[in-house]
Amino acid sequence: MTESTPERPVGMTAVRTTTPGAAAARARQVRPATEGWTQQKDAEGRPLLQFASPKRGKPPVHLADLTHDQRVEKMKELGLPGFRAGQLEKHYFQHYTSDPAQMTDLPASDREQLVTGMLPDLLTEVRRLETDGGDTIKFLWKLHDGALVESVLMRYTGRITLCVSSQAGCGMNCPFCATGQAGLTRNMSAAEIIEQVVRANRLIADGGLGDPRKVGHKDERVTNIVFMGMGEPLANYARVMQAVRTMVDKKHGLGMSARGITVSTVGLVPAIRKLAAEDIPVTFALSLHAPDDLLRDELIPVNSRWKVDEALDAAREYFEKTGRRVSIEYALIKDMNDHAWRADLLASKLNERGSGWVHVNPIPLNPTPGSIWTSSDVDVQNEFVRRLNEAGIPTTLRDTRGKEIDGACGQLVATEEDQAAAASA
C-alpha cells in the first residue's frame, strides 16, 4: 500500500492472525483442477487468457448502438424527419416493442422502413426455464451469427433483477466457472446487451413474471442490472459502458438508476481505474475468491497479470473516486478457499485499506457439469462469515437463485442440448 493508506480506526476489532501451518490444515487444502473438461493453455503451459474478441460478422446496427444525435442522423439518411428518432426511442425504451403495428403515432407508410432500418432482430429466444415458483426465469438467446448467450430474470421483494451477459462465452478461463470452459466466442454489441433488458421488461409488462396487478404494479420493470452473466464485462469495456449509458439515460434511454447497476470483474486493474473515472456511480463488484496469490493464481488465471493487492488497491480507488461501496464476491469452495485463516487474511487486507469502503458477499459454490467441486459445509461457511463480521467487515451470505435450472452464478454455459435446440430455432 502507499503512504496514504488509512490506519485501522480506533475501536475496530483486531483480526486474529492464523496461518495454514498445521498439518491438518494443509491436508484439507484442495488445489484447483478441472474435472470433465480440459483447460485451454498457452504455448508456455499457462491457462490461456483471451482479452481480444475473435473476429466474426458484426451484428446489424441497432437503435441502441447509437447516440441520440446519431439516431437523428440515421433518420435523415432514411429520408425521414429527425424527430422520428425520439418517437422510436419511446416505443423501444418505454414500451419495449419493435412491432410496427403498435407504433400508431408513426405514419403507416414509414413504420416498416423504420423498424427494418433501426430495430433489426438481435436475439432469438431458444428456450425459457422457470424455477422458484416462476420468480426466476432463465433465457437462452441465439444471436445473429448463431452464438448462444443466457440471461436470468429474478423477482425479489421490492425489486426485479436481471443478470445480463456481455460476451458469448468468456476468455478468463477460471476452472470453477462453466462459462469459460469453451473460451470466448465474441464480444456482444451494446444493443445486444440492451435487448436483454428490453425483452425482460416486455415479459414483465405482459405478466410473464407473475401478474403485475397482483405482485407489483402495472408499470413495474427491471430495477437492477448485474453484469454477472456470460463474459468478463471489463474485457468488453467500450460496449458495456455504451450499454450502461443507455440504461441510465433518462431522456433517450431506459432511465434506470446507476446505483441499481452492478458491473463485476475478475480483476482487470487498468479497466477498474478507467471505470472509476467514468463519473457514472454504478456498483462495482470484484470477484476475488481467494485473498492469497498462491491460490488465486490457479483459481483466477488473470491473477497472473494483476495480483490480489493490485486488484484491491484499484477497488479502493474506485470507492475513493465514486463514494460507492465496493462489493467483494467470494465463491466458497469446500476445502479449497474456505479456510478460517483465509477469512482472517481477507479481513486483514481489507482493513488495511480503511473502513466503510467494502462489503463482502460470500456465495456457496454453484455446481457445474462434470465437476467434483462443491460448496462449503454450512458450519465452515458460517465460520468464514462470522470471522469477517467480527473483524469489522460487513459480510452477507448471498442468496443463490436458479441453481435448479443452471442459472446461478458460474453456471451459465451453452450445452450440447442448447446447441441442438438453437439449431432448430
Side-chain angles (χ1 to χ4, degrees), residues 304-369:
S304 63
R305 298 282 188 97
W306 300 286
K307 298 300 185 182
V308 169
D309 285 332
E310 292 177 272
L312 291 177
D313 284 346
R316 170 69 198 197
E317 289 173 24
Y318 185 87
F319 166 76
E320 290 172 350
K321 286 190 175 182
T322 66
R324 299 284 290 136
R325 190 170 65 165
V326 171
S327 292
I328 300 293
E329 308 295 313
Y330 198 106
L332 286 169
I333 308 172
K334 184 175 181 178
D335 294 337
M336 187 175 295
N337 67 350
D338 61 355
H339 309 91
W341 70 267
R342 282 197 163 94
D344 294 341
L345 178 60
L346 176 58
S348 177
K349 284 180 175 287
L350 298 179
N351 278 330
E352 284 172 4
R353 292 163 171 82
S355 63
W357 71 277
V358 71
H359 183 277
V360 176
N361 286 315
I363 313 162
L365 180 76
N366 295 305
T368 59

Side-chain angles (χ1 to χ4, degrees), residues 392-424:
I393 304 296
T395 303
T396 307
L397 193 69
R398 204 166 90 186
D399 179 27
T400 56
R401 295 277 291 271
K403 284 191 294 185
E404 301 83 358
I405 53 175
D406 291 333
C409 291
Q411 291 186 314
L412 301 186
V413 63
T415 64
E416 291 183 4
E417 183 182 354
D418 293 335
Q419 298 283 356
S424 59

Side-chain angles (χ1 to χ4, degrees), residues 161-356:
T161 297
L162 181 68
C163 179
V164 300
S165 292
S166 56
Q167 296 179 311
C170 183
M172 296 300 100
N173 208 359
C174 301
F176 65 96
C177 178
T179 310
Q181 293 182 12
L184 176 62
T185 300
R186 70 166 171 88
N187 287 333
M188 295 178 69
S189 69
E192 287 172 330
I193 296 169
I194 291 293
E195 178 75 355
Q196 295 171 76
V197 187
V198 171
R199 296 286 286 271
N201 281 337
R202 179 72 264 162
L203 177 137
I204 295 166
D206 290 341
L209 194 65
D211 188 341
R213 293 169 298 182
K214 295 180 179 179
V215 296
H217 54 85
K218 67 181 182 64
D219 295 322
E220 70 174 359
R221 59 176 184 165
V222 172
T223 57
N224 294 69
I225 299 289
V226 290
F227 280 89
M228 296 180 180
M230 288 182 171
E232 162 54 53
L234 296 190
N236 187 19
Y237 188 91
R239 295 167 189 84
V240 164
M241 290 313 303
Q242 186 177 351
V244 168
R245 293 187 191 98
T246 300
M247 290 173 185
V248 301
D249 189 331
K250 297 191 182 304
K251 189 173 181 181
H252 303 293
L254 288 167
M256 300 182 68
S257 167
R259 294 174 180 269
I261 299 171
T262 299
V263 177
S264 68
T265 179
V266 291
L268 280 62
V269 167
I272 296 172
R273 295 198 168 105
K274 192 175 179 181
L275 180 66
E278 289 283 354
D279 197 29
I280 303 176
V282 298
T283 298
F284 170 66
L286 174 62
S287 296
L288 193 67
H289 307 309
D292 55 306
D293 288 323
L294 181 63
L295 176 59
R296 197 169 193 266
D297 280 349
E298 300 178 64
L299 201 58
I300 310 290
V302 81
N303 203 68
S304 63
R305 298 282 188 97
W306 300 286
K307 298 300 185 182
V308 169
D309 285 332
E310 292 177 272
L312 291 177
D313 284 346
R316 170 69 198 197
E317 289 173 24
Y318 185 87
F319 166 76
E320 290 172 350
K321 286 190 175 182
T322 66
R324 299 284 290 136
R325 190 170 65 165
V326 171
S327 292
I328 300 293
E329 308 295 313
Y330 198 106
L332 286 169
I333 308 172
K334 184 175 181 178
D335 294 337
M336 187 175 295
N337 67 350
D338 61 355
H339 309 91
W341 70 267
R342 282 197 163 94
D344 294 341
L345 178 60
L346 176 58
S348 177
K349 284 180 175 287
L350 298 179
N351 278 330
E352 284 172 4
R353 292 163 171 82
S355 63

Side-chain angles (χ1 to χ4, degrees), residues 27-238:
R28 291 195 303 272
Q29 177 64 68
V30 174
R31 308 307 306 181
T34 60
E35 297 289 339
W37 63 287
T38 301
Q39 190 177 36
Q40 296 184 60
K41 302 290 181 68
D42 62 19
E44 298 177 1
R46 296 173 301 191
L48 179 66
L49 292 168
Q50 295 174 271
F51 293 99
S53 176
K55 293 188 181 299
R56 293 169 66 104
K58 292 183 179 180
V61 176
H62 186 280
L63 176 86
D65 288 312
L66 308 173
T67 65
H68 175 71
D69 289 343
Q70 289 171 334
R71 294 165 194 161
V72 171
E73 288 303 312
K74 182 69 173 177
M75 287 294 168
K76 294 176 181 178
E77 289 176 16
L78 294 172
L80 300 169
F83 71 84
R84 296 291 184 209
Q87 293 176 299
L88 207 57
E89 288 170 346
K90 185 173 182 180
H91 284 294
Y92 185 68
F93 294 123
Q94 296 182 30
H95 300 309
Y96 322 124
T97 184
S98 301
D99 182 1
Q102 296 186 31
M103 302 178 185
T104 55
D105 59 335
L106 299 175
S109 59
D110 294 340
R111 293 178 202 168
E112 290 292 343
Q113 182 185 9
L114 276 170
V115 169
T116 300
M118 298 291 285
L119 298 172
D121 289 336
L122 296 176
L123 306 180
T124 300
E125 184 177 344
V126 175
R127 179 181 291 139
R128 183 186 304 181
L129 299 175
E130 298 184 10
T131 187
D132 300 320
D135 285 345
T136 301
I137 300 175
K138 183 177 78 167
F139 302 92
L140 174 65
W141 307 107
K142 182 168 71 173
L143 308 184
H144 81 101
D145 56 355
L148 299 179
V149 299
E150 293 180 317
S151 52
V152 184
L153 185 64
M154 296 161 282
R155 179 188 290 282
Y156 296 91
T157 302
R159 72 185 192 278
I160 297 176
T161 297
L162 181 68
C163 179
V164 300
S165 292
S166 56
Q167 296 179 311
C170 183
M172 296 300 100
N173 208 359
C174 301
F176 65 96
C177 178
T179 310
Q181 293 182 12
L184 176 62
T185 300
R186 70 166 171 88
N187 287 333
M188 295 178 69
S189 69
E192 287 172 330
I193 296 169
I194 291 293
E195 178 75 355
Q196 295 171 76
V197 187
V198 171
R199 296 286 286 271
N201 281 337
R202 179 72 264 162
L203 177 137
I204 295 166
D206 290 341
L209 194 65
D211 188 341
R213 293 169 298 182
K214 295 180 179 179
V215 296
H217 54 85
K218 67 181 182 64
D219 295 322
E220 70 174 359
R221 59 176 184 165
V222 172
T223 57
N224 294 69
I225 299 289
V226 290
F227 280 89
M228 296 180 180
M230 288 182 171
E232 162 54 53
L234 296 190
N236 187 19
Y237 188 91

